[in-house]
């Protein structure tokens, strides 16, 4: 009660009232001027940092200056004939190669998610390099985890492959197989997440297991049947009454045959097979709108290649040259696999353009550097001589052509 009387007696004094009203007006004017400044063009209140937290006993430190949010670098969508890359890793620079294929952690390795993924892709974009991000199907309990797909989509990759070898029926990697019904739902969720971020981003429909045209004809037809079943699921359970058609999508393709060795060219034969299934003229230049080679490489064991250094080296370099000339002839996107040699289950896989330490490999890897060279004819009438595999890949991607006797040089 005494407190109330004291306040009342103060307010009844005219001089006190004037002083209090003046103080209140000053406070109001100060607040109003602050809001007007922050509300003017170029001034915005910052969002609170996501990683910062303030406990109930702490006072948040006021922000003094705010740096403007930098818009991500988004490179324009390219014509399919320009999509030429390598399955690489973020720690290796593949000079002169315009695209790189990297994997989201659902593929079983790495930490390319969230801000790390976004920053990694931005680093590539600053160099003018485009990125194909492969989002492998997660384990069954996370197959329809929308947050994973949304996180991958926010990476702003230039193209996204939703799923990888989803048709593979192999007991040693049984976790890869996804039924057509479940894959239809997974692909729909993944593609939708990507297109919500950017509608123009190409999305690949998983990847087709590597098979050999001829001996594996029935296995190839099984892939067509899988796609037919997926289409049925898409139009009956995922989007009932829809008209989704796999023939209008873009398929990922894997080829791992010794193309060029003993005259074989399984990649060309696969192009012919899928052009027929897609109802496309192979020579029309349109196949690349519906088929991307996400892994192109040569086998070195279990496929008839003698187990000696000469034959494996020759098969390897002939596959590289044959695959690139074939894919550029038909204007199909292509990613060479792999960037580097690697070990898997105790076996050394000599299928990269660099060795397992990231060092350059000679054209004939059974010989010393410079033992075999190729002089290429390049745009503008220029000629360039190469002695390394990575050099050769980059120059072929840039439009240079091989000498007519290149096979003789490489095999002699």
């Amino acid at each position: 009660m005494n407190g109330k009387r004291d306040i009342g007696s103060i307010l009844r004094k005219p001089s006190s009232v004037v002083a209090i009203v003046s103080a209140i007006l000053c406070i109001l004017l100060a607040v109003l001027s602050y809001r007007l400044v922050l509300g003017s063009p170029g001034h915005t209140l910052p969002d609170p940092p996501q990683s910062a937290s303030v406990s109930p006993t702490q006072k948040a430190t006021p922000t003094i200056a705010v740096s403007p949010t930098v818009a991500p670098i988004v490179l324009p969508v390219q014509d399919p004939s320009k999509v030429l890359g390598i399955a690489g890793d973020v720690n290796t620079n593949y000079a002169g190669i315009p695209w790189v294929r990297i994997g989201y952690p659902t593929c079983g390795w790495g930490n390319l998610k969230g801000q790390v993924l976004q920053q990694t892709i931005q680093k590539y974009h600053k160099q003018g390099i485009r990125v194909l991000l492969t989002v492998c199907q997660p384990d069954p309990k996370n197959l329809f985890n929308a947050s994973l797909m949304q996180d991958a989509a926010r990476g702003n990759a230039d193209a996204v492959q939703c799923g990888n070898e989803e048709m593979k029926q192999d007991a040693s990697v049984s976790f890869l197989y996804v039924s057509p019904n479940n894959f239809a739902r997974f692909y729909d969720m993944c593609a939708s997440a990507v297109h919500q971020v950017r509608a123009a981003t190409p999305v690949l429909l998983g990847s087709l297991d590597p098979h050999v045209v001829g001996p594996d004809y029935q296995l190839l037809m099984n892939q067509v049947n899988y796609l037919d079943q997926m289409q049925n699921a898409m139009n009956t359970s995922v989007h009932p009454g829809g008209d989704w058609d796999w023939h209008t999508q873009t398929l990922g393709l894997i080829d791992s045959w010794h193309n060029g060795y003993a005259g074989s060219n399984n990649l060309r034969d696969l192009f012919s097979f899928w052009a027929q299934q897609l109802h496309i003229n192979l020579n029309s230049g349109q196949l690349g709108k519906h088929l991307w080679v996400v892994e192109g490489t040569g086998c070195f064991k279990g496929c008839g290649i003698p187990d000696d250094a000469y034959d494996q080296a020759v098969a390897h370099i002939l596959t590289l040259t044959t695959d690139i000339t074939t894919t550029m002839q038909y204007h199909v996107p292509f990613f060479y696999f792999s960037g580097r040699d690697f070990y898997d289950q105790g076996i050394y896989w000599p299928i990269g353009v660099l060795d397992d330490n990231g060092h350059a490999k000679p054209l004939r890897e059974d010989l010393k550097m410079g033992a075999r060279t190729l002089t290429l004819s390049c745009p503008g009438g220029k000629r360039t001589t190469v002695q390394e595999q990575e050099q050769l890949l980059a120059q072929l991607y840039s439009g240079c052509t091989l000498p007519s006797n290149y096979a003789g040089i490489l095999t002699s």
Side-chain angles (χ1 to χ4, degrees):
M1 291 297 292
N2 291 337
K4 289 183 180 179
R5 282 199 298 272
D6 291 342
I7 293 173
S9 64
I10 291 172
L11 292 177
R12 281 194 291 272
K13 295 179 181 179
S15 59
S16 299
V17 172
V18 171
I20 292 171
V21 170
S22 298
I24 292 173
L25 286 174
C26 289
I27 293 170
L28 289 174
L29 287 171
V31 172
L32 179 60
S33 63
Y34 177 72
R35 288 183 175 275
L36 286 173
V37 170
L38 290 177
S40 63
H43 294 82
T44 56
L45 284 170
D47 292 327
Q50 296 299 311
S51 59
S53 61
V54 180
S55 69
T57 59
Q58 288 180 310
K59 291 183 179 180
T61 302
T63 301
I64 305 301
V66 180
S67 300
T69 301
V70 179
I73 300 171
V74 179
L75 302 178
V77 175
Q78 278 195 325
D79 180 273
S81 65
K82 304 295 184 183
V83 180
L84 300 165
I86 195 163
D89 62 89
V90 297
N91 298 315
T92 305
N93 177 34
Y94 298 94
I97 297 179
W99 278 74
V100 65
R101 180 189 182 215
I102 58 178
Y104 194 69
T106 52
C107 294
W109 66 88
N111 65 337
L112 293 178
K113 60 181 179 179
Q115 198 171 39
V116 175
L117 174 64
Q118 295 170 28
Q119 291 173 344
T120 299
I121 293 177
Q122 286 301 291
K123 183 178 179 181
Y124 279 120
H125 284 178
K126 287 177 182 177
Q127 302 172 61
I129 299 172
R130 289 170 166 82
V131 176
L132 167 62
L133 176 66
T134 297
V135 182
C136 299
Q137 57 274 23
D139 57 87
K141 66 180 181 181
N142 284 306
L143 186 61
F144 307 125
N145 186 336
S147 64
L148 294 176
M149 304 176 205
Q150 292 163 358
D151 179 56
R154 285 192 291 267
N156 268 309
D158 302 276
V160 178
Q161 177 191 333
C162 290
N164 191 55
E165 294 191 84
E166 67 279 357
M167 305 177 187
K168 198 174 198 69
Q169 301 212 29
D170 185 330
S172 63
V173 285
S174 59
F175 57 87
L176 287 175
Y177 180 79
V178 181
S179 70
N181 288 2
N182 284 340
F183 192 74
R185 183 181 168 193
F186 165 80
Y187 174 77
D188 181 70
M189 292 177 66
C190 181
S192 296
V194 173
H195 287 153
Q196 284 173 9
V197 173
R198 189 186 186 205
T201 301
V203 176
L204 310 188
L205 199 168
S207 63
L208 302 160
D209 289 357
H211 291 309
V212 182
V213 177
D216 295 341
Y217 178 78
Q218 187 54 54
L219 295 175
L220 289 168
M221 290 307 301
N222 290 347
Q223 293 182 338
V224 175
N225 182 54
Y226 181 103
L227 293 169
D228 288 339
Q229 292 181 60
M230 182 184 171
Q231 178 174 305
N232 180 66
M234 193 73 81
N235 295 326
T236 56
S237 60
V238 179
H239 295 289
D243 59 356
W244 187 88
D245 186 347
W246 69 262
H247 299 83
T248 65
Q249 305 300 307
T250 304
L251 307 177
L253 175 71
I254 297 176
D255 178 42
S256 59
W257 198 241
H258 45 67
N259 300 319
Y261 184 84
S264 64
N265 194 339
N266 189 59
L267 184 62
R268 179 196 57 212
D269 296 341
L270 284 170
F271 285 173
S272 179
F273 174 86
W274 286 106
Q276 293 176 28
Q277 303 305 317
L278 292 161
H279 314 301
I280 294 172
N281 184 319
L282 178 61
N283 297 305
S284 67
Q286 300 301 304
L287 185 60
K289 296 180 180 180
H290 300 280
L291 195 72
W292 286 31
V293 182
V294 296
E295 291 181 21
T297 188
C299 59
F300 65 97
K301 60 183 178 66
C303 56
I305 302 293
D307 186 17
D308 64 74
Y310 167 81
D311 282 283
Q312 292 194 4
V314 166
H316 171 70
I317 193 61
L318 288 182
T319 295
L320 186 153
T321 51
T322 302
D323 280 2
I324 304 309
T325 54
T326 300
T327 198
M328 295 185 75
Q329 176 185 351
Y330 296 108
H331 309 290
V332 175
F334 183 89
F335 288 82
Y336 190 79
F337 184 89
S338 147
R340 295 166 64 157
D341 295 347
F342 57 90
Y343 282 92
D344 183 46
Q345 298 179 354
I347 298 175
Y348 188 71
W349 293 63
I351 60 176
V353 293
L354 303 175
D355 67 19
D356 60 321
N357 292 314
H359 299 146
K361 292 171 64 175
L363 296 182
R364 271 271 302 277
E365 53 195 53
D366 62 324
L367 302 175
K368 293 181 179 180
M369 185 70 73
R372 296 292 181 274
T373 63
L374 292 174
T375 300
L376 312 179
S377 300
C378 301
K382 297 180 180 179
R383 294 169 67 81
T384 185
T385 299
V386 298
Q387 61 177 357
E388 301 172 5
Q389 293 182 23
E390 184 187 7
Q391 275 184 320
L392 176 61
L393 184 64
Q395 293 298 329
L396 291 176
Y397 278 170
S398 70
C400 296
T401 57
L402 294 160
S404 58
N405 63 335
Y406 79 91
I409 295 173
L410 294 173
T411 59
S412 64

